[in-house]
Amino acid sequence: MGIRRIIRSRYPDVKRENARSDAMAGLVLGVESVPDGLASGLLAGVNPVAGLYGYLFGMVGAAFFTSASFMAVQATGAMAIIVADVDLAGRDDPARSLFTLSIVTGIVMIVAGLLKLGTVLRFVSKAVMTGFITAVGINIILGQLDNFTGYDASGNNRVLRAFDLLGHIWKIDLATTVVGVATIVLIVVLQRTALGSLGLVVAVVIGSGLAAIFDAFGSGVQVVSDIADVPRALPFVTMPVFGEMVGFLVPAASLAFVGLVQGAGISAGIPNPDGTFSDGSTDFVGQGAGNVVSGLFQGMPVGGSMSASSLVIAAGAKSRLALLISGGVMAIVILAFGGLVNYVAMPALAGLLIVVGYGTIKPDQVMSVAKTGVVQLTVMSTTLVLTMLIPLQYAVLVGVGIATILHVVKQSTRLTTRQIEITEDGRLRESEPVDDVPPSSVIVLQPYGSVFFATAAALEEQMPSVTPDSRHSVVILRTRGFDEIGATLTEVLGRYMNALNEVDSKLVLVADNPRIRRQLEATGAMDQLLEENLYVGTEWLGETVMRAHDDALRWVAEADANATSGDSSRGDTDAHDDD
């Protein structure tokens, strides 16, 4: 009873009345995940069995920790391509290095979740992600041409190998290509029948059967057993290579970022059974747990899979129990039919991956971004080209850098400064700021937008210029809503204060955040501004700026009066000297 109570409190969506629906959904996802897992391992350039184990243990391990009930954590095309670009073959033990990479990726994801770093994803623009995902789709297709055609192309990257294939098209293996083409045709046709997603499994089975027929007639087609042996047993726990963990931080960070971005789409797009949406940071932790379990049980890195999550829902899943049942189905297939999996044809898996890659490319999204503007088109194109030409673990980080720079550029151009005119009846009217500070005047300025180091120069350009004629005037800068002003903006204000002081004018600052006062004191700007020229705002809108405006009017009047009195005194003195 105690265990049942814990399950009900931790997983309220798991109910006995939903067991039948969850079992059917788990069966569909489990069967479909077997060829998918093998294909992911193939795409990653590792033992296909590692993809199979990643699908099984990653999904089961994550299901216990994610906040999203239907998040299927499996290897994704983008993550597999990143793994393929990591030089695992150059390691002393490539297999254990792969498992180590999975564990390090999981640790990075868990730390990201615990630190609530989901906000970092906001810096990734749609242009960057569209370029990246489109390039991933193209890379998936190009990366399978060798297995699809039977020709071992040469080249430093997938693009060059594709051109090498085109230059030696007569060297392709006919039987291999026929199996690949037949599998693609069957997938396209069968998915439109009542089989639905199970059509993928049937197509791979038929394609592998066709390969066996070719083999019987002497035209050998490569199968899974030619590159790896699928054991009819589940793996034991394998410890990571601890000495390699630090060296895997960069590719692990890239894998984690891609997995978290894709998982965030599930967190925000697929509601839980009660209609609520999951917590993204908890899902980060769940995906990290899935990677750690996957690595410990000889699997490759995994992340939230939108296609698998959508499939299990379409199959009728009512709770996360469907994911656990799916893992059980995969385990049964491995134990009972592991020998048959060895005969799966490689071009059949390649055909499956080519269909997946084609589906990854979204022409509508590409056109939508292209129509947004030249900057967005440039960012998308740059990300796409870089992803095609350099290893993906670096392309991802470059994409994040581009997105961050783009964000800073956008924010720096969005600062707008308005002049506020306070009428006699107490109303506030906004207008464009004057070009120059006029003499004996009070100018109230209100900046709108993000104020940080990149916008400081924009604010300085938008403020009225100080000329020799700008005598006895007060410029009031209203910073309501600003959290801080920073060192760069403090320097800008210091220059503006000096310019005003040189013509017997001054700057007044109206701020409602105590942090701004502390920053002014810390930088020494407060000594230049003086206490009397800093007004602290209240909860009443306009009250403080009106008070500062009234005081400024009195200061201007006194300055003009003193100047007039001084001029008169000098005139009397001059007349006396003449006498």
Side-chain angles (χ1 to χ4, degrees):
M1 291 296 292
I3 296 178
R4 184 178 299 178
R5 189 179 300 111
I6 293 174
I7 293 176
R8 285 179 178 176
S9 62
R10 179 67 179 84
Y11 311 110
D13 55 331
V14 178
K15 300 177 182 179
R16 180 179 298 178
E17 57 267 29
N18 296 332
R20 181 179 177 85
S21 298
D22 286 335
M24 291 302 299
L27 175 64
V28 172
L29 180 60
V31 172
E32 189 270 342
S33 294
V34 173
D36 260 9
L38 292 170
S40 290
L42 176 64
L43 178 61
V46 299
N47 189 331
V49 178
L52 194 63
Y53 291 158
Y55 266 54
L56 195 167
F57 293 101
M59 179 169 56
V60 172
F64 287 102
F65 297 97
T66 55
S67 173
S69 299
F70 302 116
M71 178 179 285
V73 176
Q74 299 180 340
T76 66
M79 297 181 74
I81 289 290
I82 294 177
V83 174
D85 284 343
V86 179
D87 185 21
L88 295 174
R91 307 277 176 166
D92 295 335
D93 189 343
R96 284 189 64 199
S97 294
L98 173 66
F99 313 149
T100 303
L101 178 60
S102 297
I103 292 173
V104 176
T105 301
I107 293 173
V108 173
M109 286 182 168
I110 291 172
V111 171
L114 294 177
L115 295 180
K116 308 292 184 182
L117 295 182
T119 54
V120 175
L121 301 181
R122 295 183 298 178
F123 286 92
V124 185
S125 67
K126 183 179 179 180
V128 170
M129 283 310 301
T130 301
F132 175 73
I133 295 300
T134 301
V136 165
I138 298 173
N139 270 324
I140 290 174
I141 295 173
L142 298 183
Q144 294 309 304
L145 293 180
D146 287 7
N147 291 315
F148 188 78
T149 63
Y151 172 69
D152 187 15
S154 60
N156 293 328
N157 55 54
R158 297 175 185 85
V159 176
L160 294 178
R161 289 195 291 272
F163 279 113
D164 182 62
L165 171 62
L166 292 175
H168 301 84
I169 196 71
W170 62 88
K171 291 186 178 182
I172 66 173
D173 183 75
L174 183 60
T176 299
T177 306
V178 169
V179 171
V181 172
T183 302
I184 291 178
V185 172
L186 286 170
I187 290 174
V188 174
V189 172
L190 294 178
Q191 279 192 311
R192 298 178 180 180
T193 67
L195 288 173
S197 297
L198 286 177
L200 298 173
V201 181
V202 176
V204 171
V205 170
I206 295 176
S208 299
L210 181 60
I213 295 174
F214 278 120
D215 186 63
F217 283 94
S219 299
V221 176
Q222 192 177 46
V223 295
V224 170
S225 61
D226 291 330
I227 62 173
D229 180 48
V230 181
R232 294 181 61 179
L234 297 178
F236 291 104
V237 172
T238 301
M239 298 305 294
V241 183
F242 292 101
E244 295 181 349
M245 296 183 78
V246 174
F248 278 136
L249 283 177
V250 171
S254 298
L255 285 164
F257 181 80
V258 171
L260 296 179
V261 168
Q262 294 177 329
I266 301 172
S267 302
I270 300 179
N272 288 324
D274 60 359
T276 61
F277 287 91
S278 62
D279 176 67
S281 295
T282 304
D283 289 336
F284 284 7
V285 174
Q287 292 177 77
N291 270 283
V292 172
V293 174
S294 174
L296 290 174
F297 287 95
Q298 304 178 23
M300 63 182 287
V302 292
S305 171
M306 178 62 81
S307 59
S309 301
S310 300
L311 173 60
V312 76
I313 293 174
K318 301 297 183 182
S319 72
R320 70 184 67 237
L321 180 61
L323 302 176
L324 301 176
I325 293 175
S326 175
V329 170
M330 290 187 69
I332 292 172
V333 170
I334 293 172
L335 294 172
F337 306 105
L340 294 177
V341 175
N342 282 308
Y343 296 102
V344 174
M346 298 297 286
L349 292 177
L352 169 61
L353 286 169
I354 288 174
V355 173
V356 171
Y358 179 79
T360 302
I361 302 171
K362 308 293 184 185
D364 291 343
Q365 290 186 9
V366 173
M367 293 304 299
S368 175
V369 172
K371 293 177 180 178
T372 303
V374 176
V375 174
Q376 298 293 329
L377 176 60
T378 302
V379 171
M380 178 180 67
S381 302
T382 303
T383 305
L384 189 150
V385 172
L386 287 175
T387 306
M388 294 294 300
L389 298 179
I390 66 176
L392 258 73
Q393 67 265 31
Y394 302 118
V396 171
L397 299 181
V398 171
V400 175
I402 292 174
T404 304
I405 293 173
L406 177 63
H407 175 77
V408 172
V409 171
K410 279 185 175 180
Q411 293 300 318
S412 64
T413 59
R414 287 180 176 175
L415 183 76
T416 302
T417 303
R418 304 286 289 173
Q419 181 173 333
I420 298 177
E421 177 187 352
I422 301 178
T423 61
E424 293 182 357
D425 57 0
R427 292 188 298 170
L428 306 180
R429 182 172 62 188
E430 288 189 349
S431 61
E432 289 290 331
V434 294
D435 294 331
D436 302 321
V437 177
S440 304
S441 301
V442 177
I443 305 296
V444 182
L445 301 175
Q446 171 69 65
Y448 292 102
S450 298
V451 177
F452 61 113
F453 68 92
T455 58
L459 176 61
E460 188 172 20
E461 292 175 358
Q462 294 174 16
M463 295 178 72
S465 300
V466 180
T467 69
D469 295 329
S470 304
R471 298 179 62 80
H472 304 157
S473 293
V474 178
V475 176
I476 301 174
L477 184 64
R478 185 171 183 250
T479 62
R480 187 176 187 90
F482 290 11
D483 292 329
E484 57 184 6
I485 55 177
T488 305
L489 183 56
T490 301
E491 184 178 345
V492 168
L493 295 181
R495 288 198 297 266
Y496 202 74
M497 278 189 282
N498 287 335
L500 288 170
N501 292 339
E502 288 177 359
V503 292
D504 297 326
S505 295
K506 69 175 184 175
L507 177 70
V508 170
L509 198 63
V510 176
D512 64 340
N513 194 316
R515 186 184 303 175
I516 293 179
R517 180 190 184 90
R518 291 195 295 269
Q519 288 181 327
L520 292 172
E521 292 174 345
T523 58
M526 196 65 199
D527 296 335
Q528 184 180 7
L529 180 66
L530 301 180
E531 184 73 29
E532 64 187 37
N533 295 325
L534 176 64
Y535 288 74
V536 179
T538 67
E539 68 272 18
W540 295 98
L541 294 177
E543 179 185 69
T544 306
V545 72
M546 288 182 181
R547 179 161 54 86
H549 184 264
D550 291 341
D551 291 346
L553 289 176
R554 284 192 290 271
W555 185 90
V556 169
E558 291 175 3
D560 286 342
N562 291 336
T564 301
S565 174
D567 291 341
S568 299
S569 298
R570 285 193 295 272
D572 293 341
T573 303
D574 292 340
H576 179 73
D577 292 341
D578 290 338
D579 292 341

